[in-house]
Amino acid sequence: MQCPLDSKPRWERRKDARPQELLAAAIDLFVERGFAATRLEDVARRAGVSKGTLYLYYTNKEELFKAVVRGSIVPFIGEAEESVAEFEGHSADLLRQVILSWWDRIGQSKVSGIGKLMTAEAGNFPELAKFYQEEVVVRVIRMISTILERGVDRNEFRAVNVQQVTRVLMAPMMMLVTWKHSAVGPCASDDLQPQAFLDAFLDMALGGLLPPAGARQ
Amino acid sequence: MQCPLDSKPRWERRKDARPQELLAAAIDLFVERGFAATRLEDVARRAGVSKGTLYLYYTNKEELFKAVVRGSIVPFIGEAEESVAEFEGHSADLLRQVILSWWDRIGQSKVSGIGKLMTAEAGNFPELAKFYQEEVVVRVIRMISTILERGVDRNEFRAVNVQQVTRVLMAPMMMLVTWKHSAVGPCASDDLQPQAFLDAFLDMALGGLLPPAGARQ
Amino acid sequence: MQCPLDSKPRWERRKDARPQELLAAAIDLFVERGFAATRLEDVARRAGVSKGTLYLYYTNKEELFKAVVRGSIVPFIGEAEESVAEFEGHSADLLRQVILSWWDRIGQSKVSGIGKLMTAEAGNFPELAKFYQEEVVVRVIRMISTILERGVDRNEFRAVNVQQVTRVLMAPMMMLVTWKHSAVGPCASDDLQPQAFLDAFLDMALGGLLPPAGARQ
Amino acid sequence: MQCPLDSKPRWERRKDARPQELLAAAIDLFVERGFAATRLEDVARRAGVSKGTLYLYYTNKEELFKAVVRGSIVPFIGEAEESVAEFEGHSADLLRQVILSWWDRIGQSKVSGIGKLMTAEAGNFPELAKFYQEEVVVRVIRMISTILERGVDRNEFRAVNVQQVTRVLMAPMMMLVTWKHSAVGPCASDDLQPQAFLDAFLDMALGGLLPPAGARQ
DNA sequence: AATGAATGAGGGTTCATTCAT
DNA sequence: TATGAATGAACCCTCATTCAT
């Protein structure tokens, strides 16, 4: 950890770990079964605690879900926003870096199932939808738009319609993780080749964004 | 009675209409809330009947759902398969026709919400997943693959990897309807411009399929 | 029937047969499943009529059941009572005749299942219990007691305790039919040999009733 | 608390007692109303808990019923089997002892109503029938047959047909408890004199089993 | 902090009975 | 007379949430 002399007794460290264990269990089950179909008793059991204990840390199911999002997707977004703000190179590299690190940190992991889940169940849990839209979707859109605008401003990208291209860029990523987590769909699980998909997607996307060859400096 | 030409009593006409009324109510609610979250009592109420009446027409919730699929998506697939078998022109026109008629008949309507629903809940309802995969997904894949193979055989398309391109073609369509029915996502509902999206998609798809200009006859 | 020139058209004869067809269907199902577990819809279907039609003939489930009893067991009791009243021979012969004709008409047929059914479900249907007790049980007890008293009066039987012996005589008969209709019990269905059982029972019963050999005239 | 020797808190003592309280309530109602007609809510209420609580202890209605059987009849059978295996005296005494202890532990109590219930409802609940046949009926038959064989082997009983006599011995016992629990039947409840019935039955049974006086040692 | 027993509202399904035709 | 569509109360079972310990 940060403190190499961890002065706390093992028992207390265990206690501190509880929320993390609960979040880990929760994300597994939420992604596997969806929000509504996940039973808090199962979450508690998987975390090795009792059902009542769960309520000591999270007031209810929705708060638990929010905590899952806050503990997984939101921090990534924060870091990505920072790296966008600090980046100094070519906007195409920035875009590629953001997408690949998204795939590395989110897309590949269970966390990406949260996106599919929200798409499916937002209608039944308006407060959750609002939370997710504000904490995740809006920030992602803003971040990608920012990259595009940066690229356009710096003449590294063509003068595209930023709003639409933002959506065009997000769509295939969403699709990729949706299929990855679904039991039906055009891709039997072993047919899905995410890496090849990503490569093709990036080629296409950057090909569409970079200025015509003749126009480059 | 009031209309002497209609020999059926009003009451019996209702009976004939009931299944359709129930299916209409069911599709509304299934698409709005998902399979698990839809209460049969609500379906019944929306159709203007009592809970018990629903069971006169459909054995249980899963059968009601299957009936919805059989009454909306499956017939379209059948017709599309026929039109593919009978078609005599250029494969690009066939592909365009199938996709546009899909948009017309399925994509635009509530029915398209079924796809999103199945993607989300298949894991929790394995029998439904099996049904949908067999009755819909497999047939759609086969149909699109058939079109691609036809195009390749007739030298109207390039010699693409049919299996993968089938998936690449399906993905944006799925995405389009998924966002259309979701309360969260990168597209606020009024930002989504399906027609423009479709045009762009078809341009891209056909651009990728047609042989290089020099090779065309 | 009584009128050899049956002037009624076949269609109307059919109508007259309805109640009998319903009773036949009802007894099948009541005996097979019990009173509560029998669905009137099944009764109607087996009789080849609609559920509503059943209610034209019997006001409700309990009345249907009573009609079954009235149409099967009660007439037999009436005849048995008559034959008891008219009989002129030895009381042992009378008892044997009554028991054997019971076996012939009731015990062997489905009707005997009614006895088991009432024993089991009387507690849940007090009105039915009252009806059955009055229309069947009390009359059977009275009839057998009458035979015993007749035998004792005529010095054909020993001076037994009529009340208790009545029960002792009824018990094995009830048992026989109960097992005949049950899916559990000490007798796998093919082990039960009713005829042998009856012979043994009659030997025992009459052996216990007839006066000691030395006392006979 | 009030009793310092009892280290468990009152609340936990309740938890330990719950299963027994629920079984007690269940047996009352099952015997009173039968399996199908017993509502779990009533069982719960009679045990002083809510409907949901019942499911903390028993997975479903059938399991509750099995628990009732396992907690009442099955243990008795186990003990009886042991006492049969260990017994060293005359087989007639063994038979008498087994029957009288059955009457003491089962016949006299509500538990005996289970037998009547199963006879009546086995047809509608095949899994329950299988369970009861295996756990109870088969073992009882085996036990009684064992006693009879023992008696025959030791020349304490005549060489009877063991299979049939087993059934003949069981029949009156079944009948006794069936009437005891029934609202209809030849015995108004206050006329039934079980003790006298048992005495007569044992006299008869042993009379039929013991070798003729002249043959005894 | 931790437990886990208890709750009770709610959803799927069944079926006797009614009633317009 | 005959139909069968419609009803609605009832029952089994689930699960988020509470709370005494």
Side-chain angles (χ1 to χ4, degrees):
Chain A
M1 309 274 165
Q2 296 180 335
C3 169
L5 299 168
D6 194 336
S7 57
K8 291 178 181 173
R10 212 167 2 150
W11 170 82
E12 204 162 336
R13 262 183 284 135
R14 185 83 211 278
K15 196 177 62 182
D16 288 352
R18 273 287 139 75
Q20 285 309 316
E21 292 167 2
L22 282 165
L23 290 184
I27 201 170
D28 283 6
L29 289 167
F30 280 143
V31 166
E32 219 170 277
R33 306 184 191 169
F35 179 75
T38 292
R39 299 169 4 164
L40 290 192
E41 181 159 19
D42 290 343
V43 173
R45 183 166 29 243
R46 187 173 292 213
V49 302
S50 75
K51 216 179 351 175
T53 301
L54 200 156
Y55 280 85
L56 294 177
Y57 295 95
Y58 306 100
T59 27
N60 58 33
K61 204 182 188 183
E62 301 213 345
E63 286 307 316
L64 173 63
F65 182 82
K66 289 182 187 175
V68 164
V69 175
R70 285 201 193 94
S72 56
I73 305 182
V74 172
F76 168 75
I77 296 178
E79 291 170 31
E81 285 169 341
E82 270 186 49
S83 75
V84 168
E86 293 167 359
F87 192 82
E88 302 203 328
H90 193 285
S91 297
D93 294 332
L94 174 55
L95 183 61
R96 170 177 271 119
Q97 174 192 300
V98 165
I99 287 176
L100 288 178
S101 75
W102 167 85
W103 174 248
D104 209 45
R105 289 269 306 276
I106 306 291
Q108 269 193 122
S109 82
K110 276 171 203 149
V111 176
S112 59
I114 299 289
K116 180 196 131 197
L117 180 165
M118 280 309 304
T119 303
E121 305 196 61
N124 296 326
F125 302 93
E127 195 192 318
L128 238 43
K130 184 163 167 285
F131 163 81
Y132 191 79
Q133 190 75 16
E134 286 171 3
E135 301 288 324
V136 177
V137 178
V138 166
R139 290 175 69 181
V140 168
I141 290 177
R142 187 162 49 221
M143 180 172 60
I144 298 188
S145 298
T146 300
I147 297 173
L148 292 176
E149 281 159 4
R150 178 185 189 276
V152 173
D153 287 349
R154 293 166 53 124
N155 291 317
E156 290 161 353
F157 289 160
R158 288 191 278 171
V160 295
N161 175 334
V162 169
Q163 190 194 24
Q164 294 302 319
V165 172
T166 298
R167 281 151 184 74
V168 169
L169 290 175
M170 291 177 68
M173 313 307 291
M174 292 299 303
M175 209 168 39
L176 178 59
V177 297
T178 296
W179 282 342
K180 198 163 97 68
H181 291 282
S182 179
V184 296
C187 296
S189 53
D190 43 356
D191 288 349
L192 200 59
Q193 297 163 341
Q195 208 57 54
F197 184 97
L198 271 179
D199 290 344
F201 164 64
L202 280 170
D203 280 356
M204 183 210 77
L206 295 177
L209 284 169
L210 296 173
R216 295 183 201 170
Q217 299 134 344
Chain B
M1 301 298 162
Q2 296 181 337
C3 169
L5 289 179
D6 191 340
S7 59
K8 286 183 180 178
R10 202 169 12 141
W11 180 72
E12 198 164 338
R13 267 185 282 133
R14 293 228 63 175
K15 139 77 176 160
D16 287 352
R18 273 287 134 75
Q20 286 310 315
E21 292 167 2
L22 284 164
L23 288 184
I27 202 171
D28 283 7
L29 288 167
F30 280 144
V31 166
E32 219 170 276
R33 307 185 190 171
F35 179 76
T38 291
R39 292 182 295 156
L40 291 192
E41 183 158 16
D42 290 343
V43 173
R45 186 171 20 248
R46 185 173 293 213
V49 300
S50 76
K51 203 165 35 158
T53 300
L54 203 156
Y55 283 86
L56 296 177
Y57 297 93
Y58 304 101
T59 331
N60 56 35
K61 203 182 187 183
E62 299 216 345
E63 286 307 316
L64 174 63
F65 182 81
K66 290 182 186 176
V68 164
V69 174
R70 286 202 192 93
S72 56
I73 305 182
V74 172
F76 167 75
I77 295 179
E79 291 170 33
E81 284 170 343
E82 270 187 49
S83 75
V84 168
E86 293 166 0
F87 193 83
E88 304 205 328
H90 192 285
S91 298
D93 293 332
L94 174 55
L95 184 60
R96 171 177 270 117
Q97 173 190 300
V98 164
I99 287 175
L100 288 179
S101 74
W102 167 83
W103 175 250
D104 208 44
R105 290 268 307 275
I106 304 291
Q108 262 184 349
S109 82
K110 276 171 205 150
V111 176
S112 57
I114 298 290
K116 180 195 126 195
L117 180 165
M118 281 309 306
T119 303
E121 306 197 61
N124 296 326
F125 300 93
E127 196 193 315
L128 239 43
K130 184 164 167 281
F131 163 81
Y132 191 79
Q133 190 76 15
E134 286 171 4
E135 301 288 323
V136 177
V137 178
V138 166
R139 290 175 70 181
V140 168
I141 290 178
R142 188 163 48 220
M143 181 172 58
I144 298 189
S145 298
T146 300
I147 298 175
L148 292 176
E149 282 159 4
R150 178 186 191 275
V152 173
D153 288 349
R154 295 167 50 122
N155 292 317
E156 291 162 353
F157 288 160
R158 288 190 279 169
V160 295
N161 175 333
V162 169
Q163 190 194 23
Q164 294 303 319
V165 172
T166 298
R167 279 149 185 77
V168 169
L169 289 176
M170 291 177 69
M173 314 306 292
M174 292 297 304
M175 210 168 38
L176 177 60
V177 297
T178 295
W179 281 342
K180 197 164 100 63
H181 290 282
S182 180
V184 297
C187 297
S189 54
D190 43 355
D191 287 351
L192 200 58
Q193 298 162 342
Q195 209 57 55
F197 184 98
L198 273 177
D199 290 343
F201 164 64
L202 279 170
D203 281 354
M204 184 209 78
L206 295 176
L209 284 169
L210 295 173
R216 297 184 197 166
Q217 298 135 345
Chain C
M1 307 285 167
Q2 294 179 340
C3 170
L5 299 168
D6 194 336
S7 57
K8 290 178 181 175
R10 209 169 1 150
W11 170 81
E12 204 162 339
R13 263 186 281 135
R14 186 83 211 279
K15 197 178 61 180
D16 289 351
R18 273 287 139 73
Q20 283 311 315
E21 292 166 1
L22 282 165
L23 290 184
I27 201 171
D28 283 7
L29 289 167
F30 280 143
V31 167
E32 220 170 275
R33 305 181 194 171
F35 179 76
T38 291
R39 298 169 5 163
L40 290 192
E41 181 159 19
D42 290 342
V43 173
R45 181 166 31 243
R46 186 174 292 213
V49 302
S50 76
K51 216 178 353 172
T53 302
L54 201 157
Y55 279 86
L56 295 177
Y57 295 95
Y58 306 100
T59 28
N60 58 32
K61 204 183 188 183
E62 300 213 346
E63 287 305 317
L64 173 63
F65 182 81
K66 290 182 187 174
V68 164
V69 174
R70 286 202 193 93
S72 56
I73 305 182
V74 171
F76 167 75
I77 295 177
E79 292 171 32
E81 284 170 344
E82 270 187 48
S83 75
V84 167
E86 292 168 359
F87 193 81
E88 301 204 328
H90 192 283
S91 297
D93 295 331
L94 175 55
L95 184 60
R96 171 176 270 119
Q97 174 192 301
V98 165
I99 286 176
L100 288 179
S101 76
W102 167 84
W103 175 247
D104 210 42
R105 290 266 309 275
I106 305 292
Q108 267 193 122
S109 83
K110 275 172 206 151
V111 177
S112 58
I114 299 289
K116 180 196 133 196
L117 180 165
M118 280 310 304
T119 303
E121 303 195 61
N124 295 327
F125 301 94
E127 196 193 316
L128 239 43
K130 184 163 167 282
F131 163 80
Y132 190 79
Q133 190 75 17
E134 286 172 3
E135 301 288 323
V136 177
V137 177
V138 165
R139 289 175 69 181
V140 168
I141 291 177
R142 188 162 50 222
M143 180 172 60
I144 298 189
S145 298
T146 300
I147 298 174
L148 291 178
E149 282 160 2
R150 179 186 189 274
V152 173
D153 287 350
R154 292 165 55 121
N155 290 318
E156 291 160 353
F157 289 160
R158 287 191 279 172
V160 294
N161 174 334
V162 169
Q163 189 193 24
Q164 293 304 318
V165 172
T166 298
R167 280 150 184 77
V168 169
L169 291 175
M170 291 177 69
M173 315 306 291
M174 291 300 302
M175 209 166 40
L176 178 59
V177 297
T178 296
W179 282 343
K180 196 162 100 67
H181 290 282
S182 179
V184 295
C187 296
S189 53
D190 43 356
D191 288 350
L192 201 58
Q193 298 163 341
Q195 209 57 54
F197 184 98
L198 271 178
D199 291 344
F201 165 64
L202 280 170
D203 281 356
M204 184 208 77
L206 296 177
L209 284 169
L210 295 173
R216 294 184 200 167
Q217 299 133 347
Chain D
M1 301 298 159
Q2 296 181 338
C3 168
L5 289 179
D6 192 339
S7 58
K8 287 183 180 179
R10 203 169 9 143
W11 180 71
E12 199 164 336
R13 266 185 282 131
R14 292 230 63 174
K15 140 75 175 163
D16 287 351
R18 273 288 134 73
Q20 285 311 316
E21 293 167 2
L22 284 164
L23 289 183
I27 202 171
D28 283 6
L29 288 168
F30 280 143
V31 166
E32 219 170 276
R33 306 184 189 171
F35 180 76
T38 292
R39 292 181 296 159
L40 291 192
E41 184 158 16
D42 290 344
V43 173
R45 188 172 15 249
R46 185 173 291 214
V49 300
S50 78
K51 203 170 28 163
T53 300
L54 202 156
Y55 284 87
L56 296 177
Y57 297 94
Y58 303 100
T59 328
N60 56 36
K61 204 184 188 182
E62 299 215 345
E63 286 306 316
L64 174 63
F65 182 82
K66 290 182 186 176
V68 163
V69 174
R70 286 202 192 94
S72 56
I73 305 184
V74 171
F76 167 75
I77 295 178
E79 291 170 33
E81 285 170 341
E82 268 187 51
S83 77
V84 168
E86 292 167 0
F87 193 82
E88 303 204 326
H90 193 282
S91 297
D93 293 331
L94 174 56
L95 184 61
R96 171 175 269 119
Q97 173 191 301
V98 165
I99 287 175
L100 288 178
S101 76
W102 168 84
W103 174 248
D104 208 44
R105 291 269 307 274
I106 304 291
Q108 262 183 346
S109 83
K110 276 170 202 149
V111 175
S112 58
I114 298 290
K116 180 194 125 194
L117 180 165
M118 281 309 306
T119 303
E121 306 197 59
N124 294 328
F125 300 93
E127 196 193 315
L128 241 41
K130 185 163 167 283
F131 164 79
Y132 191 78
Q133 190 76 16
E134 286 171 3
E135 300 288 324
V136 177
V137 177
V138 165
R139 289 175 71 181
V140 168
I141 290 178
R142 188 163 49 221
M143 181 172 60
I144 298 189
S145 298
T146 301
I147 298 175
L148 292 176
E149 282 159 4
R150 180 186 188 276
V152 173
D153 286 349
R154 293 167 52 124
N155 292 316
E156 291 162 353
F157 290 161
R158 288 190 278 170
V160 294
N161 175 334
V162 168
Q163 190 194 25
Q164 295 302 321
V165 172
T166 298
R167 280 150 184 75
V168 169
L169 290 176
M170 291 176 69
M173 314 306 291
M174 292 298 303
M175 210 169 39
L176 177 60
V177 296
T178 296
W179 282 343
K180 196 163 101 63
H181 290 282
S182 180
V184 297
C187 297
S189 53
D190 43 355
D191 287 351
L192 199 59
Q193 298 163 341
Q195 209 57 53
F197 183 98
L198 272 179
D199 290 344
F201 164 63
L202 280 171
D203 282 355
M204 184 210 76
L206 295 177
L209 284 171
L210 296 173
R216 296 183 199 169
Q217 299 136 341

